[in-house]
Amino acid sequence: MPDYLDDLRLAHVLADAADAATTARFKALDLKVETKPDMTPVSEADKAAEEIIRGRLQRARPRDAILGEEYGVEGTGPRRWVVDPIDGTKNYVRGVPVWATLIALMEAGEGGYQPVVGVVSAPALGRRWWAAKGHGAYSGRSLSSATRLHVSRVADLADASFAYSSLSGWEEQGRLDGFLDLTRRVWRTRAYGDFWPYMMVAEGAVDLCAEPELSLWDMAATAIVVTEAGGAFTGLDGRPGPHSGNAAASNGLLHDELLDHLNPRG
């Protein structure tokens, strides 16, 4: 089995370059922000970070395909890099420090493309998380200065901490009643949003998290970090991996109960 460590080192180099671009424009008074056709914001920093990552990948891995939030798919083949230049753009443009660059490598296999490397870099928080298939998940400032991540061992929903982003999507999908029932059953809820709750599941600070509507670039990097930390990452339909257009992540012990609550009952 490939060890993917060279790809992981490259992903860190890409994240370093993106961090330099995004932090330079964070809280800039003249930051340019546009509205995309789906009515979500995109800043000049989103575009610049993705352009930097694409340029470096084209030089370092010219045979690999690239899928990015801002510029779509380029190339074909069994290996595909998946990039969200700024996950949490709404936070970024308002000066909230909870945003990150997400970089994943996916490889073709059974069931389609699956993530094999993931880096989640949140420079305004001073945090970075990463994982490579078969090598575990880590957090730290560099590959040589890192702590291995492990999900929690909480096995009772009444003792669990549940994180989410907002209420609106759950209501639109007819899942709000189950969602609210889940919030009443758990010990604690917090709406941290975006990439952060998945990283907290991986490090054992949160036990459950879920979102009703996501894109592949929102999930590819976070999925492998959670699973390599010993957790479970599926769609709300229970399909493993980042392919369902939504996500449920947990320490694994509580995953079935999480899915039971978030799927409409007949």
Side-chain angles (χ1 to χ4, degrees), residues 3 116 120 134 138:
D3 66 18
V116 294
V120 176
Y138 295 84

Side-chain angles (χ1 to χ4, degrees), residues 178 181 236 254-265:
D181 185 48
L236 297 176
L254 299 167
H255 207 75
D256 288 345
E257 289 182 89
L258 174 63
L259 296 179
D260 285 346
H261 278 85
L262 297 179
N263 284 289
R265 296 165 187 151

Side-chain angles (χ1 to χ4, degrees), residues 43-143:
S43 73
E44 62 182 83
D46 291 81
K47 294 180 177 180
E50 185 168 324
E51 287 168 357
I52 289 168
I53 292 170
R54 284 176 176 271
R56 294 198 174 213
L57 280 173
Q58 285 163 356
R59 292 191 295 273
R61 297 288 190 275
R63 296 181 180 179
D64 293 352
I66 306 171
L67 168 65
E69 179 177 11
E70 307 309 332
Y71 295 107
V73 180
E74 184 175 353
T76 59
R79 290 165 45 100
R80 177 182 292 178
W81 293 85
V82 181
V83 177
D84 188 343
I86 300 179
D87 183 55
T89 298
K90 292 177 183 178
N91 284 344
Y92 184 89
V93 301
R94 290 295 304 271
V96 178
V98 183
W99 49 271
T101 294
L102 312 183
I103 301 169
L105 172 63
M106 302 185 75
E107 272 197 349
E110 288 188 25
Y113 284 88
Q114 298 297 333
V116 294
V117 167
V119 172
V120 176
S121 189
L125 295 176
R127 300 292 309 278
R128 185 177 289 186
W129 303 262
W130 62 88
K133 184 178 180 180
H135 290 278
Y138 295 84
S139 178
R141 296 195 175 274
S142 68
L143 283 166

